[in-house]
Amino acid sequence: MDVAVVYNFAEHPGGGDLVALDIVEALLEKGRTVTLYTSTPEGVWKAAQYFDKNLRTFENMDTRRVEVPRIAKHPYNIYLITKKTLNELKRYDLVVFFDDIPKPALELKRILVYVHYPHAARIKCDVLRRKFFKENPIGKLVWRLHSHLFVKLFVTDNVSIRKNMLILVNSSLTLDHVRKLLGWDAIILYPPVRAKVISNMWGQEHKEAGVISVGRIEPEREYEILIKALAIMKSERKNLPKWVTIVGFAKDSKYLKWLINLAKEHGLGKVVNVETNASPSKVYKLLARGSIIVSTHPYEQFGIAVVEGMAAGCISVVRKGFNGPWIDILQRGRYGYGYVSPKELANTLATLIESPPSKDYRYKLMKRALEFDEEIFKAKLLEVIKLLAK
Protein backbone atom coordinates (compact mmCIF):
# COMPACT_ATOMS: atom_id res chain seq x y z
CA MET A 1 0.00 0.00 0.00
CA ASP A 2 1.41 3.38 -1.05
CA VAL A 3 0.35 6.12 1.37
CA ALA A 4 0.55 9.92 1.12
CA VAL A 5 0.33 12.15 4.20
CA VAL A 6 -0.64 15.79 3.67
CA TYR A 7 0.55 17.71 6.70
CA ASN A 8 2.78 20.57 7.89
CA PHE A 9 4.73 19.43 10.93
CA ALA A 10 5.80 21.97 13.60
CA GLU A 11 3.34 24.60 12.31
CA HIS A 12 1.41 24.39 15.58
CA PRO A 13 3.68 22.39 17.95
CA GLY A 14 1.87 20.02 20.27
CA GLY A 15 0.04 16.72 20.45
CA GLY A 16 -1.11 16.94 16.84
CA ASP A 17 2.47 16.46 15.67
CA LEU A 18 2.86 13.37 17.85
CA VAL A 19 -0.28 11.85 16.31
CA ALA A 20 1.02 12.50 12.80
CA LEU A 21 4.48 11.14 13.66
CA ASP A 22 2.98 7.95 15.11
CA ILE A 23 0.76 7.44 12.06
CA VAL A 24 3.78 7.72 9.77
CA GLU A 25 5.82 5.51 12.11
CA ALA A 26 3.15 2.80 12.21
CA LEU A 27 2.90 2.70 8.43
CA LEU A 28 6.67 2.62 7.90
CA GLU A 29 7.13 -0.09 10.52
CA LYS A 30 4.50 -2.13 8.68
CA GLY A 31 6.51 -1.83 5.46
CA ARG A 32 4.25 0.69 3.75
CA THR A 33 5.64 3.28 1.35
CA VAL A 34 4.94 6.74 2.80
CA THR A 35 5.33 10.11 1.11
CA LEU A 36 4.86 13.37 3.00
CA TYR A 37 3.37 16.28 1.05
CA THR A 38 4.21 19.51 2.85
CA SER A 39 5.17 23.13 2.39
CA THR A 40 7.55 22.90 5.39
CA PRO A 41 9.72 19.79 4.88
CA GLU A 42 12.04 20.74 7.74
CA GLY A 43 9.09 20.54 10.14
CA VAL A 44 9.04 16.76 10.39
CA TRP A 45 12.61 16.70 11.66
CA LYS A 46 11.85 19.43 14.19
CA ALA A 47 8.84 17.48 15.44
CA ALA A 48 10.72 14.16 15.53
CA GLN A 49 13.57 15.73 17.53
CA TYR A 50 11.12 17.50 19.84
CA PHE A 51 9.43 14.18 20.71
CA ASP A 52 12.76 12.35 20.84
CA LYS A 53 11.83 9.99 18.02
CA ASN A 54 14.28 7.72 16.22
CA LEU A 55 15.22 9.87 13.22
CA ARG A 56 16.33 6.85 11.21
CA THR A 57 12.70 5.71 11.00
CA PHE A 58 11.71 8.85 9.11
CA GLU A 59 14.65 8.57 6.71
CA ASN A 60 12.56 5.87 5.02
CA MET A 61 9.82 8.41 4.24
CA ASP A 62 9.86 10.35 0.99
CA THR A 63 9.17 14.06 1.29
CA ARG A 64 7.59 16.16 -1.44
CA ARG A 65 7.96 19.89 -0.93
CA VAL A 66 5.03 21.88 -2.30
CA GLU A 67 5.41 25.64 -2.60
CA VAL A 68 2.47 27.70 -1.33
CA PRO A 69 2.31 31.44 -0.56
CA ARG A 70 3.61 32.24 2.92
CA ILE A 71 0.44 34.20 3.64
CA ALA A 72 -1.55 30.96 3.41
CA LYS A 73 -1.81 29.56 6.93
CA HIS A 74 -3.40 26.37 8.19
CA PRO A 75 -5.79 25.01 7.00
CA TYR A 76 -5.56 26.89 3.69
CA ASN A 77 -2.01 25.77 3.00
CA ILE A 78 -3.27 22.18 3.21
CA TYR A 79 -5.97 22.97 0.66
CA LEU A 80 -3.38 24.49 -1.70
CA ILE A 81 -1.00 21.54 -1.29
CA THR A 82 -3.86 19.16 -2.13
CA LYS A 83 -5.04 21.14 -5.12
CA LYS A 84 -1.54 21.59 -6.60
CA THR A 85 -0.62 17.92 -6.29
CA LEU A 86 -4.03 16.35 -6.90
CA ASN A 87 -2.97 14.34 -9.96
CA GLU A 88 -0.06 12.86 -8.00
CA LEU A 89 -2.21 12.11 -4.96
CA LYS A 90 -4.69 10.21 -7.15
CA ARG A 91 -2.04 7.51 -7.66
CA TYR A 92 -1.84 6.63 -3.94
CA ASP A 93 -3.80 3.81 -2.35
CA LEU A 94 -4.48 5.99 0.72
CA VAL A 95 -4.10 9.69 1.51
CA VAL A 96 -4.07 10.88 5.13
CA PHE A 97 -5.41 14.27 6.23
CA PHE A 98 -6.00 15.84 9.62
CA ASP A 99 -9.14 17.58 10.96
CA ASP A 100 -10.72 18.70 7.67
CA ILE A 101 -11.21 17.38 4.14
CA PRO A 102 -10.21 19.69 1.24
CA LYS A 103 -12.82 19.43 -1.50
CA PRO A 104 -10.30 18.38 -4.19
CA ALA A 105 -9.55 15.30 -2.04
CA LEU A 106 -13.00 13.93 -2.93
CA GLU A 107 -11.43 12.68 -6.18
CA LEU A 108 -8.90 10.45 -4.39
CA LYS A 109 -9.06 6.63 -4.12
CA ARG A 110 -9.15 6.36 -0.33
CA ILE A 111 -8.99 8.96 2.42
CA LEU A 112 -8.22 8.67 6.12
CA VAL A 113 -8.87 11.75 8.26
CA TYR A 114 -7.72 11.96 11.88
CA VAL A 115 -9.81 14.62 13.63
CA HIS A 116 -8.61 16.46 16.72
CA TYR A 117 -11.38 19.01 16.19
CA PRO A 118 -12.45 20.23 12.73
CA HIS A 119 -12.60 23.84 11.60
CA ALA A 120 -15.89 22.91 9.95
CA ALA A 121 -17.44 22.28 13.37
CA ARG A 122 -15.99 25.50 14.82
CA ILE A 123 -17.69 27.44 12.05
CA LYS A 124 -21.06 25.81 12.74
CA CYS A 125 -20.74 26.04 16.54
CA ASP A 126 -18.64 28.55 18.50
CA VAL A 127 -18.02 26.35 21.58
CA LEU A 128 -14.36 25.83 20.69
CA ARG A 129 -13.77 29.06 18.81
CA ARG A 130 -10.96 31.14 20.37
CA LYS A 131 -12.09 34.16 22.37
CA PHE A 132 -10.09 36.45 20.09
CA PHE A 133 -12.43 35.58 17.24
CA LYS A 134 -15.50 36.02 19.44
CA GLU A 135 -14.68 39.26 21.25
CA ASN A 136 -12.05 41.24 19.32
CA PRO A 137 -13.43 43.42 16.45
CA ILE A 138 -10.56 42.44 14.16
CA GLY A 139 -10.94 38.82 15.22
CA LYS A 140 -14.66 38.91 14.39
CA LEU A 141 -13.91 40.26 10.91
CA VAL A 142 -11.22 37.65 10.29
CA TRP A 143 -13.60 34.91 11.42
CA ARG A 144 -16.35 36.16 9.11
CA LEU A 145 -13.97 36.04 6.15
CA HIS A 146 -12.62 32.67 7.23
CA SER A 147 -16.12 31.20 7.57
CA HIS A 148 -17.10 32.42 4.11
CA LEU A 149 -13.97 31.06 2.41
CA PHE A 150 -13.68 27.81 4.33
CA VAL A 151 -17.07 26.40 3.27
CA LYS A 152 -16.08 26.91 -0.38
CA LEU A 153 -12.83 24.97 -0.06
CA PHE A 154 -13.52 22.24 2.53
CA VAL A 155 -16.19 19.61 3.17
CA THR A 156 -18.65 20.88 5.80
CA ASP A 157 -21.55 18.43 5.44
CA ASN A 158 -22.20 14.71 4.99
CA VAL A 159 -23.33 14.84 1.36
CA SER A 160 -19.84 14.22 0.00
CA ILE A 161 -18.80 11.58 2.56
CA ARG A 162 -18.33 8.24 0.81
CA LYS A 163 -17.40 4.64 1.60
CA ASN A 164 -13.81 5.30 0.57
CA MET A 165 -13.39 7.70 3.51
CA LEU A 166 -12.48 6.70 7.04
CA ILE A 167 -12.89 9.37 9.71
CA LEU A 168 -11.18 8.86 13.06
CA VAL A 169 -11.80 11.17 16.02
CA ASN A 170 -9.86 11.66 19.26
CA SER A 171 -12.68 11.61 21.84
CA SER A 172 -16.36 11.32 22.69
CA LEU A 173 -16.74 15.11 22.58
CA THR A 174 -15.29 15.34 19.08
CA LEU A 175 -17.39 12.38 17.91
CA ASP A 176 -20.56 14.01 19.23
CA HIS A 177 -19.81 17.35 17.57
CA VAL A 178 -18.75 15.76 14.28
CA ARG A 179 -21.98 13.76 14.13
CA LYS A 180 -24.34 16.55 15.20
CA LEU A 181 -22.74 19.48 13.37
CA LEU A 182 -21.39 17.81 10.24
CA GLY A 183 -23.32 14.54 9.96
CA TRP A 184 -20.09 12.55 9.64
CA ASP A 185 -19.91 9.02 10.94
CA ALA A 186 -16.62 8.31 12.69
CA ILE A 187 -14.64 5.92 14.88
CA ILE A 188 -12.98 6.96 18.13
CA LEU A 189 -9.25 6.31 18.18
CA TYR A 190 -7.71 7.94 21.22
CA PRO A 191 -4.49 9.82 20.45
CA PRO A 192 -1.12 8.30 21.33
CA VAL A 193 0.57 9.11 24.64
CA ARG A 194 4.18 8.32 25.55
CA ALA A 195 2.89 6.53 28.63
CA LYS A 196 5.55 3.81 28.87
CA VAL A 197 8.36 6.33 28.46
CA ILE A 198 6.92 8.54 31.22
CA SER A 199 6.05 5.71 33.60
CA ASN A 200 9.67 4.53 33.47
CA MET A 201 10.75 7.96 34.74
CA TRP A 202 8.39 7.91 37.72
CA GLY A 203 10.57 5.81 40.02
CA GLN A 204 13.57 8.03 39.35
CA GLU A 205 12.07 11.11 41.01
CA HIS A 206 10.95 11.77 44.59
CA LYS A 207 7.27 12.78 44.72
CA GLU A 208 6.64 16.24 46.15
CA ALA A 209 3.39 18.06 46.98
CA GLY A 210 3.56 19.83 43.63
CA VAL A 211 0.75 20.67 41.20
CA ILE A 212 1.16 20.80 37.43
CA SER A 213 -1.19 22.08 34.74
CA VAL A 214 -0.14 21.58 31.11
CA GLY A 215 -1.43 23.13 27.89
CA ARG A 216 -1.20 26.14 25.62
CA ILE A 217 -1.15 29.44 27.52
CA GLU A 218 -4.35 30.97 26.15
CA PRO A 219 -7.63 32.29 27.68
CA GLU A 220 -9.63 29.23 26.60
CA ARG A 221 -7.65 27.12 29.07
CA GLU A 222 -9.00 29.12 32.04
CA TYR A 223 -5.92 28.61 34.21
CA GLU A 224 -7.24 31.38 36.45
CA ILE A 225 -9.56 28.78 38.05
CA LEU A 226 -6.48 27.07 39.50
CA ILE A 227 -5.11 30.35 40.84
CA LYS A 228 -8.51 31.24 42.35
CA ALA A 229 -8.65 27.81 44.02
CA LEU A 230 -5.20 28.39 45.53
CA ALA A 231 -6.35 31.81 46.76
CA ILE A 232 -9.32 30.15 48.50
CA MET A 233 -7.00 27.63 50.14
CA LYS A 234 -4.77 30.45 51.34
CA SER A 235 -7.68 32.47 52.74
CA GLU A 236 -8.99 29.41 54.58
CA ARG A 237 -5.50 28.67 55.95
CA LYS A 238 -5.32 25.32 54.26
CA ASN A 239 -1.98 23.77 53.35
CA LEU A 240 -0.86 25.01 49.94
CA PRO A 241 1.08 22.85 47.48
CA LYS A 242 4.84 23.10 47.76
CA TRP A 243 4.86 24.47 44.23
CA VAL A 244 2.47 24.98 41.31
CA THR A 245 3.70 25.05 37.71
CA ILE A 246 1.60 25.99 34.69
CA VAL A 247 3.52 24.90 31.61
CA GLY A 248 2.76 25.24 27.91
CA PHE A 249 3.40 27.07 24.67
CA ALA A 250 2.97 30.85 25.02
CA LYS A 251 0.01 31.27 22.67
CA ASP A 252 -1.23 34.59 24.13
CA SER A 253 1.32 36.94 25.72
CA LYS A 254 -1.34 39.23 27.22
CA TYR A 255 -3.06 36.34 28.93
CA LEU A 256 0.29 35.04 30.17
CA LYS A 257 1.11 38.40 31.75
CA TRP A 258 -2.38 38.62 33.27
CA LEU A 259 -2.04 35.16 34.83
CA ILE A 260 1.29 36.03 36.43
CA ASN A 261 -0.13 39.28 37.81
CA LEU A 262 -3.22 37.48 39.12
CA ALA A 263 -1.03 35.10 41.10
CA LYS A 264 0.90 38.04 42.55
CA GLU A 265 -2.31 39.88 43.48
CA HIS A 266 -3.33 36.89 45.60
CA GLY A 267 0.08 36.67 47.23
CA LEU A 268 0.91 33.48 45.33
CA GLY A 269 3.85 34.77 43.34
CA LYS A 270 6.29 32.49 45.16
CA VAL A 271 4.05 29.44 44.80
CA VAL A 272 2.85 29.72 41.20
CA ASN A 273 5.32 29.51 38.35
CA VAL A 274 4.42 29.80 34.67
CA GLU A 275 6.90 28.10 32.36
CA THR A 276 6.61 28.56 28.62
CA ASN A 277 7.78 26.47 25.69
CA ALA A 278 9.28 23.68 27.80
CA SER A 279 10.53 20.55 26.06
CA PRO A 280 8.61 17.28 26.57
CA SER A 281 11.46 15.89 28.69
CA LYS A 282 11.20 18.91 30.99
CA VAL A 283 7.43 18.41 31.29
CA TYR A 284 7.87 14.70 31.98
CA LYS A 285 10.37 15.44 34.77
CA LEU A 286 7.92 17.90 36.34
CA LEU A 287 5.18 15.29 36.22
CA ALA A 288 7.47 12.64 37.70
CA ARG A 289 8.36 14.99 40.58
CA GLY A 290 4.88 16.39 41.23
CA SER A 291 1.87 14.72 42.82
CA ILE A 292 -1.19 16.25 41.17
CA ILE A 293 -2.10 17.24 37.61
CA VAL A 294 -4.96 19.71 37.15
CA SER A 295 -6.86 20.24 33.90
CA THR A 296 -8.78 23.54 33.76
CA HIS A 297 -10.05 23.51 30.16
CA PRO A 298 -13.88 23.24 30.15
CA TYR A 299 -14.00 21.77 26.62
CA GLU A 300 -10.78 19.78 26.31
CA GLN A 301 -11.30 17.39 23.41
CA PHE A 302 -9.11 14.65 24.87
CA GLY A 303 -6.34 15.72 27.25
CA ILE A 304 -3.01 14.07 26.44
CA ALA A 305 -1.35 15.91 29.34
CA VAL A 306 -3.79 14.33 31.82
CA VAL A 307 -2.76 10.85 30.67
CA GLU A 308 0.91 11.87 30.81
CA GLY A 309 0.42 12.95 34.41
CA MET A 310 -1.28 9.68 35.33
CA ALA A 311 1.57 7.75 33.69
CA ALA A 312 3.92 9.63 36.02
CA GLY A 313 1.87 8.67 39.08
CA CYS A 314 0.10 12.02 39.44
CA ILE A 315 -3.44 12.23 40.79
CA SER A 316 -5.65 13.71 38.06
CA VAL A 317 -8.11 16.50 38.88
CA VAL A 318 -10.18 17.73 35.92
CA ARG A 319 -13.23 19.80 35.03
CA LYS A 320 -16.45 17.81 35.19
CA GLY A 321 -18.60 17.91 32.11
CA PHE A 322 -18.77 16.59 28.57
CA ASN A 323 -15.06 16.66 27.78
CA GLY A 324 -12.26 14.20 27.11
CA PRO A 325 -10.49 14.20 30.50
CA TRP A 326 -13.65 13.57 32.51
CA ILE A 327 -15.47 11.20 30.13
CA ASP A 328 -12.82 9.32 28.15
CA ILE A 329 -9.86 9.27 30.53
CA LEU A 330 -11.21 9.40 34.10
CA GLN A 331 -14.50 7.67 33.24
CA ARG A 332 -16.43 10.14 35.41
CA GLY A 333 -14.28 9.78 38.52
CA ARG A 334 -13.20 6.16 38.32
CA TYR A 335 -9.58 7.19 37.71
CA GLY A 336 -9.34 10.57 39.40
CA TYR A 337 -11.25 13.58 40.67
CA GLY A 338 -13.54 16.18 39.13
CA TYR A 339 -14.68 19.69 40.03
CA VAL A 340 -17.05 22.36 38.75
CA SER A 341 -15.88 25.46 40.66
CA PRO A 342 -12.73 27.00 42.19
CA LYS A 343 -14.15 26.21 45.64
CA GLU A 344 -14.57 22.51 44.82
CA LEU A 345 -11.10 22.43 43.27
CA ALA A 346 -9.67 24.07 46.41
CA ASN A 347 -11.30 21.46 48.64
CA THR A 348 -10.05 18.60 46.48
CA LEU A 349 -6.48 19.90 46.37
CA ALA A 350 -6.50 20.45 50.15
CA THR A 351 -7.67 16.88 50.74
CA LEU A 352 -5.07 15.40 48.40
CA ILE A 353 -2.27 17.42 50.02
CA GLU A 354 -3.29 16.65 53.58
CA SER A 355 -4.08 12.95 52.94
CA PRO A 356 -2.13 11.83 49.84
CA PRO A 357 -3.56 8.74 48.10
CA SER A 358 -1.62 5.49 48.43
CA LYS A 359 1.03 4.38 45.98
CA ASP A 360 -1.31 1.56 44.96
CA TYR A 361 -3.86 4.14 43.82
CA ARG A 362 -1.16 5.93 41.84
CA TYR A 363 -0.26 2.60 40.21
CA LYS A 364 -3.92 2.16 39.29
CA LEU A 365 -3.83 5.49 37.45
CA MET A 366 -0.55 4.59 35.78
CA LYS A 367 -2.03 1.33 34.47
CA ARG A 368 -4.98 3.28 33.10
CA ALA A 369 -2.55 5.63 31.33
CA LEU A 370 -0.76 2.69 29.71
CA GLU A 371 -4.03 1.87 27.91
CA PHE A 372 -3.37 4.99 25.79
CA ASP A 373 0.27 4.22 24.99
CA GLU A 374 1.44 5.03 21.48
CA GLU A 375 2.15 1.37 20.66
CA ILE A 376 -1.52 0.58 21.33
CA PHE A 377 -2.51 3.54 19.13
CA LYS A 378 -0.39 2.22 16.26
CA ALA A 379 -1.84 -1.27 16.50
CA LYS A 380 -5.43 0.02 16.51
CA LEU A 381 -4.67 2.40 13.63
CA LEU A 382 -3.46 -0.44 11.42
CA GLU A 383 -6.56 -2.45 12.30
CA VAL A 384 -8.96 0.30 11.25
CA ILE A 385 -7.03 0.99 8.05
CA LYS A 386 -7.87 -2.58 7.04
CA LEU A 387 -11.52 -1.46 6.95
CA LEU A 388 -10.71 0.79 4.00
CA ALA A 389 -8.97 -1.98 2.09
CA LYS A 390 -12.09 -4.17 2.05
Side-chain angles (χ1 to χ4, degrees), residues 297-312:
H297 199 318
Y299 294 108
E300 182 72 85
Q301 294 100 307
F302 178 71
I304 287 177
V306 174
V307 180
E308 290 175 338
M310 292 164 66

Side-chain angles (χ1 to χ4, degrees), residues 146-198:
H146 167 58
S147 302
H148 179 74
L149 181 59
F150 187 88
V151 297
K152 294 181 179 297
L153 305 181
F154 289 85
V155 176
T156 57
D157 54 37
N158 66 345
V159 175
S160 303
I161 301 300
R162 302 168 186 170
K163 291 182 179 180
N164 68 334
M165 299 180 185
L166 181 61
I167 301 171
L168 305 176
V169 296
N170 64 349
S171 70
S172 298
L173 181 149
T174 305
L175 177 63
D176 181 70
H177 287 201
V178 159
R179 282 177 171 171
K180 289 181 178 178
L181 299 172
L182 305 176
W184 297 356
D185 195 16
I187 299 171
I188 294 178
L189 177 59
Y190 296 125
V193 182
R194 309 199 75 195
K196 286 183 181 177
V197 172
I198 298 169

